[in-house]
Amino acid sequence: MSAGGWDKFMKNGSFSIKEMYKHLQSDLEKVSWSRVLCQNQASPRSLFTTWLAVNNRLPTRDRLAVWGIVAIVNCCLCNAAPESVEHLFFQCDFSAQIWSMALKALQFNRNPSPFSNELAWAFKSAKRRFAKHQLFLMYFAESLYAIWLYRNDQIFNQNHINMTAAVLFREISFKVAC
Ligand SMILES: [Zn+2]
């Protein structure tokens, strides 16, 4: 096999089951990914934002601060913690309220959890056919997108409008319904 083949399963010169397993795991993750994104009927823009969030490519303040681009790291929605993907979705009080409304609307009897956990729920939902789980995926993507847009508006638009979590949730529900 060529250099791009077996050598990814080699460690210290010998074939490693562990390396192969790790590789298969990442392939499995890719499959889960494509399910979360491709079987999702949310808008393309919200799916793109979801893809960026999942790959930690959103320009959140914690990342910008590392590059020395911004000095302020706190979340502009709550000002209570550094802004990161995990915080924005959905540890932040403001977005936790939104996600809690979505979970309630979908009759999931649990509280919002940090992004990586919600992502695990999304993986599970992507394997299921019930409308409730398909709606979960749409709400997930549309909520990420709406919260990200709202956050951008708060930071970059001097004439931004302050919304309550309930108002933003209604907007998200409207997009899902469409
Ligand atoms: Zn916050």
Side-chain angles (χ1 to χ4, degrees):
M1 222 181 222
S2 71
W6 288 111
D7 57 356
K8 45 180 183 262
F9 308 140
M10 304 294 277
K11 199 169 190 187
N12 302 327
S14 55
F15 181 77
S16 160
I17 295 277
K18 200 174 159 193
E19 287 305 309
M20 187 183 79
Y21 184 65
K22 271 201 281 191
H23 188 76
L24 288 176
Q25 284 280 74
S26 65
D27 274 356
L28 279 178
E29 221 156 73
K30 271 181 219 151
V31 171
S32 307
W33 267 120
S34 53
R35 279 208 183 115
V36 167
L37 294 173
C38 300
Q39 291 178 14
N40 196 328
Q41 292 169 48
S43 64
R45 282 177 185 195
S46 69
L47 292 178
F48 183 60
T49 305
T50 305
W51 183 86
L52 290 174
V54 167
N55 290 286
N56 202 20
R57 300 260 177 94
L58 283 177
T60 44
R61 284 176 162 176
D62 62 330
R63 295 182 63 225
L64 297 176
V66 170
W67 298 330
I69 297 172
V70 295
I72 304 165
V73 290
N74 265 11
C75 168
C76 68
L77 303 179
C78 68
N79 201 26
E83 184 193 83
S84 63
V85 164
E86 286 286 310
H87 174 78
L88 269 181
F89 319 114
F90 302 95
Q91 284 178 319
C92 178
D93 258 0
F94 181 79
S95 44
Q97 285 178 53
I98 293 172
W99 194 235
S100 160
M101 287 178 226
L103 291 173
K104 206 171 163 193
L106 295 170
Q107 298 182 326
F108 286 106
N109 189 20
R110 63 177 179 83
N111 291 321
S113 57
F115 186 70
S116 40
N117 249 19
E118 292 298 338
L119 204 53
W121 284 108
F123 282 158
K124 284 182 195 160
S125 284
K127 290 180 191 157
R128 300 194 169 174
R129 292 267 161 223
F130 296 114
K132 176 177 169 169
H133 293 281
Q134 298 306 311
L135 282 170
F136 177 92
L137 294 179
M138 289 171 74
Y139 262 107
F140 186 63
E142 295 292 356
S143 298
L144 259 60
Y145 182 51
I147 291 167
W148 183 249
L149 282 188
Y150 184 65
R151 170 260 187 216
N152 287 345
D153 195 49
Q154 295 290 312
I155 294 177
F156 302 115
N157 182 2
Q158 289 188 332
N159 305 315
H160 65 255
I161 299 164
N162 288 321
M163 279 191 220
T164 61
V167 170
L168 199 53
F169 173 70
R170 269 205 298 277
E171 280 191 5
I172 294 165
S173 295
F174 181 73
K175 281 186 188 162
V176 170
C178 286

